[in-house]
Amino acid sequence: MRRVVSILLVLALLTGVLGVTSVAAAATTEFPRSQTLYTGGKQWGPPSNWNPFMTGNYATGTIGLCYETLFLYDPLTAKFTPWLASSGKWTNSTTYRLVLRSGLTWSDGKALTVDDVKFTIELGKKTTLNFSSLWSWLTSISKVNSTTLDFKFKTALYQEWDNYLYNLPIVPQHIWGTRSLTDVATGANDKPVGSGAYLYNTYDQTKMVWEKNVNWWATKALKLSVAPKYIIDLVNTSNENSLGLVLQGQEDLNNNYLPGISTLLTGGYALHTYYPSAPYNIAANTAWLDINLQKKPMSDLAFRKALAYGINVADIVSRDYNNMVQASNPTGLLPMWNKYVDQAVVKKLGITYNPAKAKQVLAAAGYKDVNHDGYVENKDGTKITLKLIVPNGWSDWMAAAQMISKSAKAVGLRIVASYPDFNGYLDARLKGTFDLAIDNQANVSNSPWTYYHFIFYDQLKDIPTTQGGNYGRYNNKTAFALVTQLDKTKTTDLTAMKAVISKLQTIQLANLPMIPLWYNGMWAQMSTTYWTNWPSSVAGKNHYLPVTWNGYWNMTAILMLTQLKAVKQP
Amino acid sequence: MAQPRKQNEALYFMRRNAKLQIGVAFVFLFIILALVGPLLTKYQPRDYVAPGAQPPSSEFWFGTTSFGEDVFTQFVYGLRSTFLVGIVGGGLGTLIGILIGFTAGYRGGIVDEILNMLTNVVLVVPSLVVLLIVAAYLEVRGLVFESVYIALFSWPWAARAIRAQTFSLRSRDFVDLGRLSGMKPLKIIFTEIAPNMMSYLLLTFILQFGGAILTAATLDFIGLGPTEGMSLGLMMNNATTYSAIMLHMWWWFIPPGLAITAIVGSLYITNVGLDEVFNPKLRET
Amino acid sequence: MRRYFGRKLLIYIITFILAVTVDWAIPRFMPGNPVEILIARAGLKAESAKLIYSYYMKAFGLNVPIWRQYLNFWIALFHGDLGVSLWLFPQPVMKIIKQAVPYDILLLLPAILLSWLAGNKFGAYAARSKWLDNTISPLAYILQATPYMWLGMLLAWLCGVRLHLLPFSGAYSNAMMPSFSWSFVWSLLQHWILPFASLFIVQFGGWAIGMRNMIIYELEADYSHYLEALGAPRKLVRSYAFHNALLPQITGLALQLGAIVGGALATEIVFSYPGIGFLILQAIQNHDYFLLQGSCLFIIIGVLLANFLIDLAYVLVDPRTRVGMQGEG
């Protein structure tokens, strides 16, 4: 008996160790700490996919470290930096001329030319990719010479095109041209070959390892050199695990929302945030209250106004988030778009927390508390009970929902916070079966057009499949016509843009299809134990974005890597 | 009639069994704490009472959580739900187990096979996953739901034990005698078999009680517990989520786990003591 | 005999079919649509999302009628294909599970076996004398009553955070890749000790109690008294009792081993140990129906197999069960 058990034991240990180590043997097996940058916060599962067209699935850094885009966009200065492209401009109202930089190379040594760019974008026509809808308004791409391409459009949507310029990854024709279309669209693209600052090194279930590309084109062309030799992106297992890693200096940059991190900044843990004080992080997206306009009494504008007057956002900001977020302005536009906010309109129509006014508006509109239960009833006497849904497990939103419920109660509105499972929450929003929901789908981008597209999206029938926004189903064709007009406005014509946006703001504030609440931040906690010279709002420091989320590398986070300095270890 | 003398005999040994006394004493201690505790505190579990992360002090005996809630308040309210789940979940599990185990053991044959299969299916289905699905539909889950759910997945253990016991009793002489003398099966069950199983049923219930508490703690810890209210497992869940371990907030996660260990451990010890009382072969005298 | 086995096999097959059907139905009964979630995560432009939606529906075989989906599921099952993961698209579910299983074997097998050995030994000691019984047993009960995750938290806090003795998350250092080097194996071992200990300590209690009870029961059996009456040495009687007590313990061991496939969820959560239990939790949190379905199937098959083998062994070893199986006349 004893012997059988001992044999089993040895077998167990062997199987275990063999099973673990049988993952493909990596070239490098240990990474020196002083040359490695540990990041985390974007990857919630083992790396499984390096296909830059599968947004939401690809491993951290696939676009940004490995594959690159034509331009970089800096949201804080609203400027484009030519990256793979050396310049680009509209030669007439429907033609865009792109000039590609010379001397670009892929990591396997081959040259990156306009043929690769043309090939990549045409892939969207051959099969369904995440940018395929571009071809509904792009007619053709023609090669003018070895460094120039002309993009001819049916209709020129300037704001949307700019968005593609810093989001479209360019892939090598000599590798992708031989693949089947299914592979292109949904293949994993192992061992990716890109043009970027980092090469694919290895991965396992807990991390993605990138290695510095010493032949990166930008070293010669732009005199840029990235500091860390290895970037290891750690898979998140839980927020508390991430907190532990950051506090112990085992993770250098973490982009999770870590509740309570603001209290630890002075705890001697060598932590750093972009802003040295509240709100600590740059605003990334707006948290909105989705209101289902198809249901009574939400269909009544007066009711929506009262609701807006009755929500105490300041409470959420201070108690729920410990001031790590900011209350939104009535338009919901992010702080970086302050120049588009029409202050006159806001002054006239903007609504902020005012419980007295809320009660006033309700009373004036005919909502009275007939049965004296503390809550107002419908005009026809039926009870009003609204369910506010947030995904289960999103603890900060769950707490916020509770606070909204409380402040609504004070003005006589009964709102019940409810926490369905994420897919139940998603489903309710998509199918339009919810009452109220918190939502933050529209993220920072190159133009407020993306915001207004989200608010006024008019293909109401398609919402369940396209997830385009406007979950409350606010039906206003005029508004969406204005959104399209905005898209067609040149990005250099600030006056024209402001004029259209002002009209949109008037419609939005007058009709309240959604209520903006607060700005979520680009959560970023940095450890200064091994690396310093992180981005900071302090004058003299670099103002790049310290974020590893999708789409942020090409919004200057890649430049952050060129500024980092290794700390000399004793 | 053997009954009265048996009862006296049982009581006699109960009073002398140290394990039983200590076990019961501890369990009662916690029950009293659960009943009286909430009266000792003027707060509700989710009230903001002080700045967060305070270690135990004379004002807050168990300190405060990251959000400034009183840990002692959460603890005593949590004890209540723990006991509730134990009694309802354990009780229901025992009942179902008795029904199924007894029927299978007594009838045998095809009935036994079918019930065996049912038992196997329940054992094999991952209860956690089924709970996930159900949880996706029920936005609000209560204590009763959790207790019933636990009972629905823990009865197989009780059923197996009772079935085995029924088997062994069935083939005993007095049962055969009963059958020979023409007693109806139901009468046999109630007058001959059941009384001999009473003690066994009590033991089974105690084990189910303890098991239900442990299972509930695990479910709450994973986040599949009741959506409202407080429980000891939920406290440990919150403590882990808000990094109590990293931040040295030992007062947040040690009391709940300690309480569960103490309660369930005492239940197990009580179980042993009772076993000795009922089963002369195990007695130390 | 053959009729008995035949009936048993039939029951197991029926159980298997039922369990697999329930398992297949799991994603279908969830509100919402897995493709919706994939799209939500991708953050696509509305117009592109429309195109991709139908693409994915076809890719996951969700655009065929329900009965056809059920049939496809069985066909794939017999090819060993458990589908493709949503959360880790496009990795196949089988591959993901295979990567997690070695960690569970590494963690659970030694924990179960060593705790079984040690538990039996101490249980036997406890049955030897009253004094030992009164010291070892209560300790064993308390250990058995300890919730796994709480013990894990205690160990993580004491040995990890407070005393900085051992790492308490992950399976090996973040600065290493798996390889056949001593430094890697050392890192693996260091990360393994705490989760192993938390499992070992609790289970040790259980086995010790079980063994002690069994031995006492055996010591009180007629044959023991008979042997004593004949003047056999205590040691001999005890050794007979021990070997007879071993049988149910072996059964228990086999059952526990069968449950290895399910992992040790609570412990894996506390230590972020990448076993199958943790995988299931992540599948739940990331709404990866297909991974969930595949992992559950894996567990169901494992447990059913173990049960079947135990039933077989039982019949071969213990004749009394055969009589009971045949039931009342």
Side-chain angles (χ1 to χ4, degrees), chain A residues 1-2 5-6 8-9 11-26 28-32 38 44-50 53-57 127-134 136 160 163-164 167 181-183 185-188 190 202-207 209 232 234-238 240-241 245 248 250 421-424 426-427 430-431 441 449 453 457 459 462 464-468 480 550, chain C residues 30-56 59 85-91 95-103 105-111 113-114 116-117 121 160-161 164 168-181 183-185 188-189 192 196 242-243 246 250 253 257 269-274 278-279 282 284-287 289:
Chain A
M1 193 65 236
R2 199 70 60 81
V5 174
S6 326
L8 272 174
L9 251 174
L11 269 174
L13 287 168
L14 267 176
T15 321
V17 175
L18 278 173
V20 168
T21 57
S22 69
V23 177
T28 343
T29 51
E30 273 190 66
F31 303 101
Y38 283 98
W44 284 94
S48 60
N49 185 317
W50 295 267
F53 302 119
M54 297 208 64
T55 13
N57 271 102
T127 181
T128 315
L129 295 177
N130 62 338
F131 65 88
S132 289
S133 59
L134 171 60
S136 61
E160 209 169 325
N163 195 288
Y164 280 117
N167 277 310
L181 290 177
T182 324
D183 234 354
T186 55
D190 298 51
T202 183
Y203 78 98
D204 69 15
Q205 287 166 288
T206 56
K207 55 184 175 282
V209 182
I232 297 187
L234 297 174
V235 173
N236 294 320
T237 46
S238 64
E240 70 115 359
N241 195 30
L245 290 172
Q248 293 173 319
Q250 287 177 9
D421 202 46
F422 179 75
N423 48 313
L426 188 66
D427 206 46
L430 294 180
K431 299 218 165 79
Q441 192 179 310
W449 164 77
H453 190 274
Y457 182 66
Q459 303 297 312
D462 292 337
T465 46
T466 62
Q467 306 195 17
F480 197 73
N550 283 354
Chain C
M30 303 286 295
N33 183 331
V35 177
E36 271 172 11
I37 298 185
L38 255 185
I39 292 183
R41 263 199 297 152
L44 300 166
K45 294 193 173 41
E47 296 74 26
S48 299
K50 202 196 301 204
L51 295 166
I52 294 222
Y53 186 83
S54 46
Y55 189 92
Y56 277 147
S85 163
L86 280 177
W87 160 49
L88 298 178
F89 191 84
Q91 304 292 329
K95 180 169 169 207
I96 299 173
I97 294 179
K98 270 202 276 197
Q99 282 174 340
V101 171
Y103 290 106
I105 294 181
L106 193 61
L107 195 59
L108 287 171
L109 214 57
L113 289 172
L114 286 174
W116 188 78
L117 279 175
K121 194 156 218 164
V161 178
H164 298 285
F168 51 93
S169 88
Y172 50 87
S173 162
N174 283 326
M176 290 190 185
M177 295 297 295
S179 65
F180 283 117
S181 63
S183 56
F184 174 72
V185 176
L188 192 65
L189 266 161
W192 169 86
F196 163 78
F242 183 80
H243 284 103
L246 218 46
I250 293 179
L253 178 65
L257 289 176
I269 292 179
V270 174
F271 294 103
S272 298
Y273 208 75
F278 195 53
L279 190 66
Q282 290 180 294
I284 289 175
Q285 286 170 341
N286 288 287
H287 312 94
Y289 305 137

Side-chain angles (χ1 to χ4, degrees), chain B residues 20-226:
Chain B
L20 181 61
Q21 290 173 328
I22 295 177
V24 172
F26 261 100
V27 177
F28 260 125
L29 189 72
F30 278 101
I31 290 183
I32 292 181
L33 191 56
L35 289 172
V36 167
L39 302 171
L40 292 174
T41 166
K42 52 181 185 279
Y43 307 116
Q44 290 293 304
R46 294 285 189 187
D47 281 352
Y48 173 79
V49 300
Q54 305 279 322
S57 60
S58 52
E59 198 191 339
F60 303 110
W61 297 341
F62 283 5
T64 62
T65 68
S66 288
F67 293 112
E69 300 149 345
D70 181 24
V71 177
F72 179 73
T73 311
Q74 296 193 333
F75 180 72
V76 289
Y77 277 92
L79 271 179
R80 276 194 177 180
S81 57
T82 299
F83 275 110
L84 251 156
V85 170
I87 291 178
V88 177
L92 195 58
T94 313
L95 264 163
I96 302 176
I98 290 175
L99 233 96
I100 294 189
F102 200 78
T103 318
Y106 192 72
R107 299 299 241 105
I110 192 74
V111 174
D112 181 35
E113 303 273 14
I114 293 178
L115 288 176
N116 238 12
M117 185 175 79
L118 180 64
T119 313
N120 280 338
V121 173
V122 174
L123 275 174
V124 145
V125 172
S127 59
L128 221 55
V129 179
V130 179
L131 182 54
L132 154 80
I133 305 163
V134 181
Y137 279 96
L138 293 177
E139 284 167 24
V140 179
R141 301 184 293 274
L143 263 182
V144 176
F145 170 76
E146 189 182 28
S147 312
V148 170
Y149 192 84
I150 290 177
L152 286 176
F153 281 96
S154 63
W155 63 258
W157 304 109
R160 275 200 176 172
I162 292 174
R163 172 179 169 277
Q165 186 73 348
T166 313
F167 262 153
S168 80
L169 275 179
R170 192 154 111 302
S171 53
R172 292 267 180 88
D173 299 334
F174 56 88
V175 174
D176 286 334
L177 270 173
R179 233 183 284 151
L180 274 177
S181 67
M183 263 204 230
K184 283 210 168 108
L186 217 66
K187 191 143 185 261
I188 298 179
I189 291 176
F190 279 112
T191 57
E192 300 294 338
I193 298 184
N196 282 301
M197 281 193 71
M198 263 310 141
S199 53
Y200 202 74
L201 295 179
L202 179 60
L203 293 174
T204 308
F205 170 68
I206 293 180
L207 281 177
Q208 287 279 310
F209 187 14
I213 293 182
L214 277 176
T215 310
T218 308
L219 290 182
D220 296 342
F221 178 69
I222 297 173
L224 293 174

